[in-house]
Amino acid sequence: MDGLGTAGGGSAFASLSRPPLDAGALRRALVTADSMWTALTVVPDVGSTNDALAQEAHNGGESGRILLAEYQSAGHGRLDRTWTAPPRSSVAMSVLVRPDVPVRWWPWIPLLTGLAVAAACRRVADVPATLKWPNDVLVEGQKLAGILVQRVEDPTPAAVIGIGLNVSQTRAELPGPEAVSLVLAGATSTDRSLLVRTALRGLENLLAGWIRRGGEATDDFVGAYVDACSTIGQRVRVELPGASVMHGEAVGVDRRGRLLVRRDEGGAPVPVSAGDVVHVRTTSA
Ligand code: BTN
């Protein structure tokens, strides 16, 4: 199936195949006495869920806040890219956390989020979701979900974790051929509420374990990430901040969550903490 039948593609059936999120059911499932999540709101539209929660964080908002939007008019991604999707066609959500962990370990937050989102897509939708370092969720090389973690320092440190997951967009509704939606990837389910529940329960488990360890990454922990990350073992081009470019092979991830790249010119693997990674396809002779 090409997905048009399910997604509706602007037909009169589009709203039927794109049901609204059920805020009450999500709240009952996620905001429980023993959960990390403390409040959940679904809004019909907002500029950006990340910007809204960053503002709440500045105003002293509590940890565990979840904000979902059916539509974002000013959604954005890493490197100031825009992030847009038709109403109800995607999951656009942010959570505000204030983990009791030294901030030097916080670079693990986006990686853990990627793990949780990829696992939810595999489990709920049965698509072969993997990760591109640090946290893009891919299906067969195309981008299914993006994650944007913004730090807020004032008045006290907080992280706003933004997740954008393409669910029912048609090919024409996606930003380009490098993107894919669950429908186009042949998902067995596109139930957005179930995806949200599964992703946030998974994220809660991962964050709770990480917080218990004081944020430090054990070998098991690094191994779990490496197993899910399709970047490892690939030839990569890394566009580094400041416009320089590195070519080499991704050989691992260190305890700080940095990608280790063995450069073509040789030497010990170099840790990369920020950059845009491109998986370079090699052609066999
Ligand atoms: C990326 O891949 O560049 C990250 C994309 C992050 C998009 C999500 S959608 C919900 C949240 N609100 C935003 O404005 N951005 C994130």
Side-chain angles (χ1 to χ4, degrees), residues 7 13 30 34 38 50 106 125 160 165 168 194 218:
F13 297 101
L30 287 166
D34 56 352
T38 54
N50 261 39
W106 285 27
V160 174
L165 168 62
S168 65
L194 187 55
T218 58

Side-chain angles (χ1 to χ4, degrees), residues 46-51 67 69 72 74-84 90-94 135-137 143 145-150 160-165:
V46 71
S48 151
T49 55
N50 261 39
D51 292 352
L67 177 64
Q72 296 185 112
H76 53 92
R78 294 173 65 229
L79 309 169
D80 280 336
R81 293 175 184 141
T82 57
W83 187 271
T84 179
S90 74
V91 170
M93 72 172 162
S94 301
N135 51 21
D136 281 354
V137 179
K143 182 158 165 171
I147 289 155
L148 175 68
V149 177
Q150 292 174 259
V160 174
I161 306 172
I163 299 167
L165 168 62

Side-chain angles (χ1 to χ4, degrees), residues 30-39 62-66 95-99 200 203-211:
L30 287 166
V31 184
T32 56
D34 56 352
S35 149
M36 173 182 286
W37 310 120
T38 54
E62 67 174 339
S63 187
R65 191 76 181 83
I66 303 167
V95 298
L96 165 60
V97 291
R98 299 181 183 278
L200 289 185
L203 181 59
E204 177 178 9
N205 281 337
L206 289 169
L207 287 174
W210 174 73
I211 292 167

